[in-house]
């Protein structure tokens, strides 16, 4: 019985750790094509396969086209945000090459907590 209890406690700790990680703020600032970050900034093509560490990240394979909507800035400039089809998430900028720039000027805005939540089955998961 104590062993089963130990396993349940371990699973609880792992679950809690994963939920904290999935709501971690990746940057306080981001650059966008407009103040609401609704305008597409660029069209890029994947130069490598990418599998993100959690549900906030966009997975893709070499050659896929991605539309970029924001770029994290200041403390974490390596991550961009974009979509392919109905999938949306973060990805490393060095995993893609820019095919077409769609805006003339970038604006820098503060990120929001909701920028870093996972979307599961069309519902946000608040952990």
């Amino acid at each position: 019985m104590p062993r089963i209890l130990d396993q349940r406690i371990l699973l609880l700790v792992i679950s809690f750790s994963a939920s904290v990680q999935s709501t971690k703020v990746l940057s306080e600032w981001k650059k966008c094509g407009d103040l609401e970050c609704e305008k597409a900034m660029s069209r890029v093509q994947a130069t490598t396969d990418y599998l993100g560490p959690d549900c906030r990240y966009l997975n893709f394979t070499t050659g896929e086209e991605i539309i970029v909507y924001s770029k994290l800035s200041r403390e974490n400039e390596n991550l961009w945000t974009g979509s392919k089809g109905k999938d949306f998430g973060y990805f490393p900028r060095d995993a893609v090459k820019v095919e077409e720039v769609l805006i003339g000027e970038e604006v820098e805005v503060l990120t929001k907590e909701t920028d870093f939540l996972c979307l599961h089955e069309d519902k946000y998961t608040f952990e």
Side-chain angles (χ1 to χ4, degrees):
M1 183 69 170
R3 185 176 180 144
I4 292 173
L5 183 60
D6 288 344
Q7 289 174 341
R8 287 183 180 172
I9 290 172
L10 179 61
L11 287 173
L12 182 63
V13 169
I14 291 170
S15 175
F16 176 74
S17 158
S19 71
V20 168
Q21 178 185 16
S22 68
T23 58
K24 181 181 174 194
V25 172
L26 301 172
S27 178
E28 295 291 325
W29 294 90
K30 63 184 175 180
K31 293 180 182 177
C32 301
D34 60 83
L35 291 174
E36 293 78 31
C37 297
E38 295 176 351
K39 223 183 238 185
M41 298 177 73
S42 59
R43 182 177 54 81
V44 300
Q45 184 177 48
T47 57
T48 186
D49 293 352
Y50 178 71
L51 180 62
D54 64 45
C55 60
R56 297 174 297 170
Y57 291 80
L58 182 67
N59 300 320
F60 49 79
T61 56
T62 303
E64 286 190 288
E65 183 177 279
I66 301 164
I67 302 298
V68 177
Y69 288 94
S70 69
K71 303 172 181 178
L72 295 185
S73 60
R74 299 191 187 190
E75 64 267 15
N76 189 0
E77 295 185 350
N78 184 47
L79 291 178
W80 290 1
T81 311
S83 67
K84 62 176 188 82
K86 64 179 184 170
D87 296 329
F88 187 85
Y90 293 94
F91 59 91
R93 72 179 182 184
D94 60 355
V96 300
K97 68 178 177 180
V98 176
E99 295 286 311
E100 181 181 13
V101 175
L102 304 172
I103 58 159
E105 191 174 320
E106 296 177 351
V107 294
E108 191 170 47
V109 298
L110 283 167
T111 60
K112 303 173 195 165
E113 184 178 306
T114 54
D115 290 336
F116 306 105
L117 297 175
C118 292
L119 183 62
H120 293 291
E121 300 174 5
D122 300 327
K123 294 182 183 176
Y124 281 108
T125 302
F126 293 93
E127 297 162 331

